[in-house]
Amino acid sequence: MCRWLAYSGAPLHLDELIFKPEHSIIDQSLSARAGVSTTNGDGFGIGWYGSRETPGVYRDVQPAWNDANLRNLAEQIRSHFFLAHVRAATGSPVQQTNCHPFRYGRWLFLHNGRIRGFDGIKRQLDFAVAPELYPHIEGTTDSEVMFHLALTFGLEQDPLGGLERMVGFVESVGHDAGIENPIAMTAGLTDGHCLYAVRYSSDRDSRTLFHSRSAQALCTLNPLFERFTQEAIVVVSEPLNDEPECWKEIGEGTAVVVTECEVERLPFRPRHLS
C-alpha cells in the first residue's frame, strides 16, 4: 500500500499540503489509517509544474519523514499543480528508479496498488510496450509498466482511454495466466493542465481515494486557503484531517477529471482489446 496526493489550484508552496496538515502525507508515511500497511517508508517522490515545458521530479529511497532535502525543497517550491507519493513496496526493490511519480514528457503518473502475479506475466506485459517507449522504463515496478502500457495504448491523445485499455489488457493477460483478480489500483495522471484520478480493482475492492469538496473545506487544513476562493482541489489516498464533511470519497470504478478546479466524475470501464 502507498499513499499519494495531487493538488490543482492557485500557486502555493508544497509544504502547505505535504507537511502542514494534521494528517499530512508525511504523517501518513508513518501512520496511515486506511489500508493494510500503516507505514509507507520505502521511498517517496514529488512532481511539480513550473515555468519549464516538463515537470520537475525529486525522488529518493529514504523515508519521507527523514529527508531534510524534501522539507527544504517543499518550503521553497511554489506550484499550481503538484503530486506527492510515499511508497510501501510490494515485491520490487527499494531503489530510486522505483519511486513515484514516473515522468514521460509533460506527463506524470503515480499509483497505489499492484498487478497480482506480476512476476509471472511481466515478460508478456513488457513485450506489449511500444519499442520506442520501452527504453524509458528505468525501474522494476508494475506501476511503471502500467504507465508505459497506457502510453502505448494512446494515453497522450486520450488519457482515460489509454488507462482503460491498459487495465483491460492487464486483466486479459492475467486471466489467461489463471490470475483471478489481476489488478488493483488508484492512479493519478496529469499533464499539468488536467488531473485524471482513477479508482478501480478487478475484485471491486479498491484502495481508498477522496477529493476535497471545495476550497472552503480546505480552510480547515490551513487558513492560507481562504484567499483561494474556489481555486483549489486536492485528491488524496486518505483525508488530511478528521473533518469528513471536507472530503468526498471517489467511488469504485470511477474516474475523476479535474480541469481548472472543476471536478467531473465518469465511470471507469476497462477496454479489452480485440
Side-chain angles (χ1 to χ4, degrees), residues 1-4 28 32-36 112-113 185-187 198-201 205-211 235-239 248-252:
M1 183 194 76
C2 305
R3 304 280 84 182
W4 61 268
Q28 292 175 31
R33 301 169 183 172
V36 295
N112 174 30
M185 72 175 204
T186 68
V198 173
R199 185 184 181 198
Y200 176 84
S201 293
D205 187 24
S206 297
R207 278 73 168 168
T208 56
L209 195 63
F210 299 82
H211 69 78
V235 177
V236 291
S237 293
E238 61 184 79
K248 183 174 179 62
E249 187 167 11
I250 297 170
E252 177 67 45

Side-chain angles (χ1 to χ4, degrees), residues 87 92-93 97-100 102 118 139-146:
R87 183 172 183 243
S92 53
T97 53
N98 285 343
C99 294
H100 308 219
F102 302 103
F118 178 63
T140 60
T141 64
D142 53 357
S143 303
E144 193 174 15
V145 172
M146 290 164 61

Side-chain angles (χ1 to χ4, degrees), residues 31-203:
S31 55
R33 301 169 183 172
V36 295
S37 174
T38 59
T39 303
N40 300 275
D42 296 324
F44 67 87
I46 54 174
W48 68 95
Y49 292 83
S51 59
R52 302 277 181 163
E53 180 64 23
T54 55
V57 172
Y58 174 59
R59 304 182 295 175
D60 208 334
V61 297
Q62 290 193 73
W65 67 80
N66 196 40
D67 191 288
N69 288 327
L70 173 61
R71 182 178 289 274
N72 290 333
L73 287 171
E75 289 175 348
Q76 299 299 323
I77 296 171
R78 192 168 180 264
S79 175
H80 72 286
F81 217 124
F82 59 85
L83 310 178
H85 185 279
V86 291
R87 183 172 183 243
T90 55
S92 53
V94 177
Q95 60 190 50
Q96 190 180 81
T97 53
N98 285 343
C99 294
H100 308 219
F102 302 103
R103 177 177 59 187
Y104 179 81
R106 280 197 59 83
W107 293 93
L108 292 174
F109 175 84
L110 40 67
H111 167 239
N112 174 30
R114 63 185 177 121
I115 297 176
R116 295 182 177 92
F118 178 63
D119 289 346
I121 61 175
K122 182 179 185 301
R123 183 173 182 271
Q124 190 170 349
L125 297 179
D126 282 349
F127 277 12
V129 173
E132 66 273 18
L133 293 173
Y134 188 78
H136 294 276
I137 298 177
E138 298 179 331
T140 60
T141 64
D142 53 357
S143 303
E144 193 174 15
V145 172
M146 290 164 61
F147 180 35
H148 285 80
L149 282 172
L151 287 164
T152 298
F153 296 143
L155 177 153
E156 291 178 284
Q157 296 75 36
D158 178 14
L160 284 181
L163 291 173
E164 289 178 330
R165 286 184 282 271
M166 176 273 290
V167 171
F169 180 74
V170 171
E171 286 189 326
S172 295
V173 171
H175 289 152
D176 289 346
I179 301 168
E180 186 175 357
N181 295 303
I183 196 165
M185 72 175 204
T186 68
L189 170 74
T190 184
D191 61 354
H193 299 291
C194 294
L195 169 68
Y196 306 88
V198 173
R199 185 184 181 198
Y200 176 84
S201 293
S202 303
D203 60 3

Side-chain angles (χ1 to χ4, degrees), residues 214-231:
S214 66
Q216 282 74 23
L218 293 177
C219 291
T220 64
L221 299 176
N222 191 326
L224 174 75
F225 288 96
E226 289 180 0
R227 71 171 187 262
F228 289 173
T229 62
Q230 295 297 320
E231 299 178 23

